[in-house]
C-alpha cells in the first residue's frame, strides 16, 4: 500500500507554508538572521511537538515563524516544501500563507509573497508541478487588520487563487469577518475557511452562509449536526480533512477514533491533506498511509481522495483535464 500511495499522483489543498518549516531549516534561518530560539537544538524542538489543542500548537508555530525575515527565507521555506512533496509525487498543491504573522513583526507583505512566488515559479519549472497560493486572515486578530491585509494583497491579486481564514477558531466565528469577506468577494477572489476543526457545526454553517466558501477546511465537527451533514453531502462541497493534524491536536484521541469513515459513509466530498506537516509528523504520503492503515481503505478510495481534490482545485479546465 505504501508503494501505491507513493506512486499515486496527489493533489494537496490544505497546507500552511509556515507549517512546513522543519526544525533544521528553522535553526539554519535563525543563525542566518541572528534570531535567538528558545530551544538548544533540533532534537529539543521536535521533542516539544506534543500538543494539547490547537492553541498550544499555534503558540509554537508562531514562535517558529519568527526566523522568517528576508525574501530569501520565504523562498527557502517554500522551495523546501515543494521539492519535498514533488518527490512524494504531489502534482498540484494549494498552499496557505498567513501574511499577518509576518507583517505584525515588521516584515513587509511584498517580501513575504515575493519569496513565496519566486519559489513556486522555480519549483514548477523544476518538477512540472502546479501550485496555487491562498492568503489567510488570522481570525484571532481584528477585522481592521484583515482589511489592511486585503488592501496589501490587492496589487498581487492575480497571484492569489483564493482567500481563507485560519488560526485560533474557538471564540472567533466566521461572522466576525462578514464585512471583510464581502470585500473579498467584490474583489473577485474565491473563498475558503477553516471551520469545524475544533469549533462547533454552527461555524461551518456561518462559513457557508456568511462567507460563502467554496471549500470547508477541516469541517470534521459537522457530524455533531446531522442536518448539516445532509446539507454538505447534497451540495457536494469539498472538505479538506487533515487526519494527522486532528490526532496531533487531540480532536480525536487516536487515528482509529477519527470520524473519516463516518464522513465517507455520509457521502461527503472528502480530500486528505497535511495541514502543518513539519509539526504533525508527515506530508501527503504519511497522511494517506495513516488513514489507509487505520481504516483498511482500498486503492479506489485513495484514488477517490485525489479525484475529489482535482475537482475541487482552483485551476483552469485544461490543467484539471491533464490531472485526471
Ligand atoms: N494555522 C496553521 N495550522 C492551523 C490549523 N490546523 N488550524 C487553524 N489555523 C492554523
Ligand atoms: Zn489548516
Amino acid at each position: 500500500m505504501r508503494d501505491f500511495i507513493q506512486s499515486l499522483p496527489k493533489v494537496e489543498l490544505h497546507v500552511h507554508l509556515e507549517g512546513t518549516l522543519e526544525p533544521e531549516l528553522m535553526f539554519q534561518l535563525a543563525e542566518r538572521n541572528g534570531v535567538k530560539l528558545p530551544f538548544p537544538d533540533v532534537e529539543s524542538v521536535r521533542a516539544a511537538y506534543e500538543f494539547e489543542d490547537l492553541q498550544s500548537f499555534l503558540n509554537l508555530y508562531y514562535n517558529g515563524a519568527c526566523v522568517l525575515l528576508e525574501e530569501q527565507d520565504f523562498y527557502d521555506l517554500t522551495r523546501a516544501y515543494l521539492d519535498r512533496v514533488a518527490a512524494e509525487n504531489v502534482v498540484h498543491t494549494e498552499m496557505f500563507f498567513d501574511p499577518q504573522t509576518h507583517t505584525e513583526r515588521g516584515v513587509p507583505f511584498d517580501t513575504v509573497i515575493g519569496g513565496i512566488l519566486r519559489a513556486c515559479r522555480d519549483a514548477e519549472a523544476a518538477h512540472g508541478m502546479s501550485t496555487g497560493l491562498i492568503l489567510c486572515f488570522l481570525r484571532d486578530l481584528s477585522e481592521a487588520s484583515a482589511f489592511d491585509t486585503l488592501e496589501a494583497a490587492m496589487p498581487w491579486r492575480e497571484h492569489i487563487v483564493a482567500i481563507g481564514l485560519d488560526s485560533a477558531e474557538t471564540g472567533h466565528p466566521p461572522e466576525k469577518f462578514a464585512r471583510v469577506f464581502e470585500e473579498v468577494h467584490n474583489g473577485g477572489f474565491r473563498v475558503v475557511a477553516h471551520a469545524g476543526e475544533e469549533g462547533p457545526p454552527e461555524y461551518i454553517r456561518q462559513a457557508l452562509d456568511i462567507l460563502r466558501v467554496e471549500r470547508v477546511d477541516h469541517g470534521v465537527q459537522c457530524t455533531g449536526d446531522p442536518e448539516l451533514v445532509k446539507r454538505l453531502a447534497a451540495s457536494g462541497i469539498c472538505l479538506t480533512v487533515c487526519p494527522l493534524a486532528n490526532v496531533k491536536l487531540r480532536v480525536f484521541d487516536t487515528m482509529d477514533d477519527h470520524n473519516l469513515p463516518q464522513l465517507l459513509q455520509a457521502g461527503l466530498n472528502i480530500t486528505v491533506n497535511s495541514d502543518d506537516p513539519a509539526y504533525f509528523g508527515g506530508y501527503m504520503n504519511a497522511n494517506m498511509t495513516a488513514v489507509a492503515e487505520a481504516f483498511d481503505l482500498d486503492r479506489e478510495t485513495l484514488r477517490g481522495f485525489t479525484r475529489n481534490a482535482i475537482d475541487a482545485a482552483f485551476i483552469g479546465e485544461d490543467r484539471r483535464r491533464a490531472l485526471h
Side-chain angles (χ1 to χ4, degrees), residues 9-15 81-82 85-86 89-95 124 128-133 161 215 273 284 309-310 312-316 319-320 323:
K10 288 167 291 288
V11 169
E12 170 139 75
L13 300 180
H14 186 153
V15 57
Y81 161 71
L82 291 171
V85 295
N89 210 11
V90 170
V91 289
H92 176 75
T93 175
E94 295 180 5
M95 302 157 285
E124 286 177 0
M129 66 198 315
S130 49
T131 68
L133 201 52
V161 296
R215 302 196 298 243
N273 307 271
M284 282 295 279
I310 295 169
F314 297 146
I315 48 180
R319 181 66 181 147
R320 203 182 314 281
L323 290 175

Side-chain angles (χ1 to χ4, degrees), residues 18 29 33 35 62-75 77 97-116 135 138 141 145 148-149 152-153 156:
E18 294 88 347
L29 297 182
N33 291 327
V35 174
Y62 291 129
N63 194 71
C66 289
V67 302
L68 298 161
L69 290 171
E70 307 293 336
E71 195 257 15
Q72 187 64 41
D73 305 338
F74 291 93
Y75 179 95
L77 173 75
F97 76 117
D98 295 337
Q100 288 151 296
T101 298
H102 314 296
T103 53
E104 292 267 310
R105 299 181 289 114
V107 179
F109 185 98
D110 295 3
T111 299
V112 178
I113 197 166
I116 294 172
L135 181 157
L138 299 184
L141 299 187
S145 177
D148 289 346
T149 306
W156 298 91

